[in-house]
Amino acid sequence: MRPSGRNLSQMRPISIETGVMRHAEGSCLIKCGDTHVLCTATIEDNPPRFLKGSGLGWVTAEYGMLPRATNTRNRREAAQGKQSGRTQEIQRLIGRSLRAGIDRSALGERQISIDCDVIQADGGTRCASITGGWVALRLAVNKLLKAGVLNSDPIVDHVAAVSCGIYGGQPLLDLDYAEDSEAGTDGNFVLTRAGRLIEVQMSAEGATFSRDEMSQLLDLAEAGMADLVAAQKAAVA
């Protein structure tokens, strides 16, 4: 039995509320169980300097966690004068993942910045950020299409992410904090709606894992994608 009482292959409840930020071109509040992340998209007409004249667009991301998103207060990274290595790694993952789902030529020479702010954390914050970040990106691109700024849709597929792991010797889908903190193996899977892999992060946290166990976790992630994509579709409909 999981600490949450869920079945081994059961996702946490997912909800995505859009239009939660007045000024952002795209925004949503995604809730995956008790993990809540505010995602916004900002359109900038100028691409990064290294893309000037290339005809290609760019999607980047920033990630942060509010001081009381967890059970104890964490100091704001701005107050410490630098971002932690964990924060930098997560925001790079979000950016890479979302760029994999767009045609940068169709986007044109502009940048869309995705900001992901964790309001409450209970495991899987990077996965929720990717899933919600895609919704914010989709809404921002919709505005460009409606305004006639873009000739074709640069978004080629849904992008979402989910965590899976081995807890108590059992492969589990969508780990919450109680499971993640005790898991022998922990993995994050980023996929497209078509089932194409964008990134897989797996590590032995307390016990090594076999190739067969890795395949079981991937099977769970693919099953979980159906729920995530359904939530994304409902949010942007």
Side-chain angles (χ1 to χ4, degrees), residues 65-80:
M65 188 176 290
L66 295 184
R68 281 315 305 266
T70 56
N71 59 350
T72 58
R73 184 182 188 276
N74 294 307
R75 290 189 66 201
R76 296 181 189 273
E77 293 186 339
Q80 300 178 59

Side-chain angles (χ1 to χ4, degrees), residues 60-102:
T60 188
E62 292 188 13
Y63 168 96
M65 188 176 290
L66 295 184
R68 281 315 305 266
T70 56
N71 59 350
T72 58
R73 184 182 188 276
N74 294 307
R75 290 189 66 201
R76 296 181 189 273
E77 293 186 339
Q80 300 178 59
K82 64 176 182 179
Q83 290 182 315
S84 69
R86 175 182 181 275
T87 294
Q88 294 180 55
E89 184 266 326
I90 290 176
Q91 61 191 28
R92 287 170 183 159
L93 168 65
I94 298 167
R96 285 196 305 272
S97 299
L98 296 178
R99 284 194 298 273
I102 65 165

Side-chain angles (χ1 to χ4, degrees), residues 42-48 52 107-112 144 149:
T42 301
I43 300 170
E44 301 170 272
D45 290 333
N46 294 320
K52 289 284 188 180
L107 182 59
E109 286 195 30
R110 58 181 51 85
Q111 176 170 283
I112 301 181
L144 292 174
V149 176

Side-chain angles (χ1 to χ4, degrees), residues 154-167:
I155 296 182
V156 297
D157 204 351
H158 287 250
V159 173
V162 67
S163 64
C164 300
I166 298 176
Y167 173 87

Side-chain angles (χ1 to χ4, degrees), residues 11 127 160-164 173-174 187-191 220-221 224-225 228:
M11 295 280 290
C127 293
V162 67
S163 64
C164 300
L173 174 64
D174 191 19
N188 297 298
F189 298 82
V190 188
L191 299 97
L220 286 173
M225 277 294 294
L228 295 171

Side-chain angles (χ1 to χ4, degrees), residues 8-234:
L8 301 181
S9 58
Q10 184 178 357
M11 295 280 290
R12 291 175 288 181
I14 306 163
S15 70
I16 306 176
E17 178 186 359
T18 60
V20 295
M21 296 293 285
R22 176 181 178 184
H23 301 292
E25 283 77 32
S27 67
C28 74
L29 175 62
I30 181 169
K31 297 181 179 179
C32 298
D34 286 331
T35 289
H36 303 169
V37 184
L38 176 64
C39 303
T40 60
T42 301
I43 300 170
E44 301 170 272
D45 290 333
N46 294 320
R49 186 176 300 175
F50 65 88
L51 287 177
K52 289 284 188 180
S54 68
L56 300 176
W58 192 250
V59 175
T60 188
E62 292 188 13
Y63 168 96
M65 188 176 290
L66 295 184
R68 281 315 305 266
T70 56
N71 59 350
T72 58
R73 184 182 188 276
N74 294 307
R75 290 189 66 201
R76 296 181 189 273
E77 293 186 339
Q80 300 178 59
K82 64 176 182 179
Q83 290 182 315
S84 69
R86 175 182 181 275
T87 294
Q88 294 180 55
E89 184 266 326
I90 290 176
Q91 61 191 28
R92 287 170 183 159
L93 168 65
I94 298 167
R96 285 196 305 272
S97 299
L98 296 178
R99 284 194 298 273
I102 65 165
D103 177 347
R104 291 169 54 206
S105 296
L107 182 59
E109 286 195 30
R110 58 181 51 85
Q111 176 170 283
I112 301 181
S113 298
I114 308 297
D115 289 292
C116 302
D117 294 286
V118 180
I119 298 172
Q120 183 170 281
D122 187 37
T125 61
R126 71 186 66 194
C127 293
S129 296
I130 292 168
T131 304
W134 183 90
V135 171
L137 176 63
R138 173 76 272 176
L139 294 172
V141 168
N142 285 350
K143 288 194 173 183
L144 292 174
L145 290 167
K146 185 176 181 180
V149 176
L150 298 179
N151 296 321
S152 61
D153 189 354
I155 296 182
V156 297
D157 204 351
H158 287 250
V159 173
V162 67
S163 64
C164 300
I166 298 176
Y167 173 87
Q170 296 288 335
L172 307 182
L173 174 64
D174 191 19
L175 305 182
D176 56 30
Y177 178 75
E179 296 161 343
D180 182 53
S181 61
E182 298 292 333
T185 299
D186 182 28
N188 297 298
F189 298 82
V190 188
L191 299 97
T192 68
R193 175 181 56 180
R196 302 287 295 178
L197 290 167
I198 294 174
E199 187 150 344
V200 176
Q201 299 178 329
M202 287 195 66
S203 59
E205 303 290 344
T208 58
F209 56 93
S210 67
R211 186 167 186 161
D212 181 59
E213 287 172 325
M214 182 173 69
S215 296
Q216 291 179 55
L217 295 182
L218 178 56
D219 289 342
L220 286 173
E222 290 177 337
M225 277 294 294
D227 289 346
L228 295 171
V229 170
Q232 289 177 329
K233 284 183 175 180

